[in-house]
Amino acid sequence: MKRAARSLGALMAWTFAVAGTVGAAAPAASAAPGSHPATAAVEDARVTPVPDVSGPLPATDDSYPFGAADRQLVPQDLSREHYVEEEFVVSGTANVYTWPETGPAVVRTPDAPYTTRVLVRRPANGARFSGNVVVEMLNPSNLFDLNIGWAVAHRQMIANGDAWVGITAKPIAVDALQTFDPGRYGALSFANPLPLDDPLNCATVAADSSRLTENGLVWDIYSQVGTWLRSDDASNPLRYRSTESQVERAYGFGYSQTGGYLVNYINAVHPLVVESDGAPVYDAYLVAVAGGGFAGAYPMNQCEPAPPAGDPRRQIHDAGVPVMRIMSQSDYLPGIGSRRPDSDVPGDRYRHYEMAGAGHATPDELYYSAQPADILRADRSVPPMSCDEGPRSRFPSAIFFDAALRNLDLWVREGVAPPRSEPIEVVDGAPVLDRFGNVRGGLRSPYLDVPTSTWYGTATGASFCFIAGYERPFDTATLTELYGNEGVYIRAVRASINELVDERWLTKDDARWLFREATRVDIR
């Protein structure tokens, strides 16, 4: 049944109130660095089912994927990168789980039918495919799908030849898709398996939910889509022209709300998959801007609360595969409970990073998602690009995600441990600032170490401005006092970039991009 569009403003407090850091589940089996636990024998023995898949769906001028690359706010012609985009409809049955205070998830309602959509971007030629697929539950915080993983890491994915897969992960986003194109998306369903008169179908649900649907179907969907991509099923686009999947590594990615979903998945569902299948579906995870009291965990089903702030289920330990968590300057303080020591212990490989200067709600997440006309066609509000203080922060958090994805892959494939970083400095609950008002500590960049602006992580205004951040450029007199002329500034930037590349905090492609950006700064 079609539901009326909700007000985004009414949902924001709930969206982040339910979030936190997920607790320690039973340790999963760990593979040696550079080895792949999912051997052919393990793949053949998997219990996680391969879902039914139809597609790719045709794309025409009148019917095309929501968020299609060539229909983004900043359109991309993927053919110029020798990439293709395909959309599939995926169906199966999923369990609805409950999450005890200790241990992994427990089935609450079994075998609920679902149908969702999957967006795939991949190298057109199998010879170009790296063997890596990044699988993302698409962020629904604006009540429609945002392609945020692609937005913040597509440069690295394309350079490396990786595939990206986005999954519609929540009924409220299905509503938007069905309004956008009912013919294309009419079959999608997250129907609640429980009738309205069942006592387990709670009378009160969150503002972005309905008793007729069930948010908790997403966990098995995520496992099954990953299993499909690793399978030899004829519908798998990552088989290319082979009879077998060409996937060597699958990496889980989630951002903000779906970063919190990943915490649930890692701690509550990943151990179940390892137990049933003998190996994980996903070889590593990148949990983005979700942790502690900020989007750190979500309700396992829509009738139970999220683990409260401080609950050990919100922290990640002993996942059995490498995990990186990356927080931004917008969320590291409310998410400070996500901090834990880094580890290279084989069953508990973990890194915690905090991006100094970077905002949470970025322009990129809007640039590389559905164009405004399509958002309106889905009966949703177009998120604002500006807040009271000015445009959303242009700080390029993508430089951190590109390096993180590369380092995560090296960790999995070759056992090369990623570099370690100190967190943003905090004293008595407040950040320690330098003389320019920028934070100290955290992941560094020329934007803070050779500054031309002060970077803020929070702003005021509509929608998600409170986590958008903004920039205050230095005036000409300050720039002249600091650097004297452009040559001095550019040399300082080059030195900063070279150090970051040497220490693996920056890819060479992003180093070249940052240097080009530096040459555009006007210092007189």
Side-chain angles (χ1 to χ4, degrees), residues 31 82 146 180 203 211 221 229 239 265 288 298 326 331 338 405 410 419 432 466 495:
H82 306 289
L146 287 173
F180 170 72
R211 297 181 67 210
I221 291 173
L229 296 167
R239 283 188 1 168
Y265 184 87
Y298 279 80
I326 304 179
D331 46 58
S338 65
L405 184 57
L410 286 171
V432 178
F466 72 103

Side-chain angles (χ1 to χ4, degrees), residues 61-119:
D61 288 342
D62 297 321
S63 181
Y64 48 84
F66 184 81
D70 62 351
R71 307 277 183 156
Q72 297 169 163
L73 179 58
V74 176
Q76 289 178 291
D77 181 356
L78 293 181
S79 67
R80 297 183 62 180
E81 306 291 350
H82 306 289
Y83 265 61
V84 295
E85 178 178 77
E86 297 164 314
E87 187 177 41
F88 298 84
V89 172
V90 175
S91 301
T93 60
N95 294 326
V96 181
Y97 295 97
T98 186
W99 193 3
E101 290 186 5
T102 59
V106 175
V107 175
R108 183 177 192 258
T109 309
D111 302 328
Y114 74 84
T115 301
T116 191
R117 67 102 183 215
V118 171
L119 193 61

Side-chain angles (χ1 to χ4, degrees), residues 349-427:
R349 287 173 285 174
Y350 187 88
R351 289 292 185 273
H352 180 93
Y353 298 128
E354 295 174 3
M355 302 182 290
H360 176 117
T362 69
D364 283 352
E365 69 186 41
L366 305 182
Y367 292 154
Y368 294 100
S369 295
Q371 60 190 353
D374 288 347
I375 296 171
L376 294 173
R377 183 174 152 190
D379 196 24
R380 296 294 189 247
S381 298
V382 177
M385 290 294 295
S386 293
C387 301
D388 293 344
E389 292 81 359
R392 288 189 182 201
S393 174
R394 66 180 180 91
F395 192 101
S397 59
I399 62 175
F400 299 129
F401 286 106
D402 287 342
L405 184 57
R406 181 199 57 184
N407 289 333
L408 189 67
D409 189 40
L410 286 171
W411 208 3
V412 171
R413 287 181 173 273
E414 301 179 21
V416 178
R420 300 186 182 209
S421 169
E422 294 298 320
I424 294 173
E425 293 183 25
V426 176
V427 173

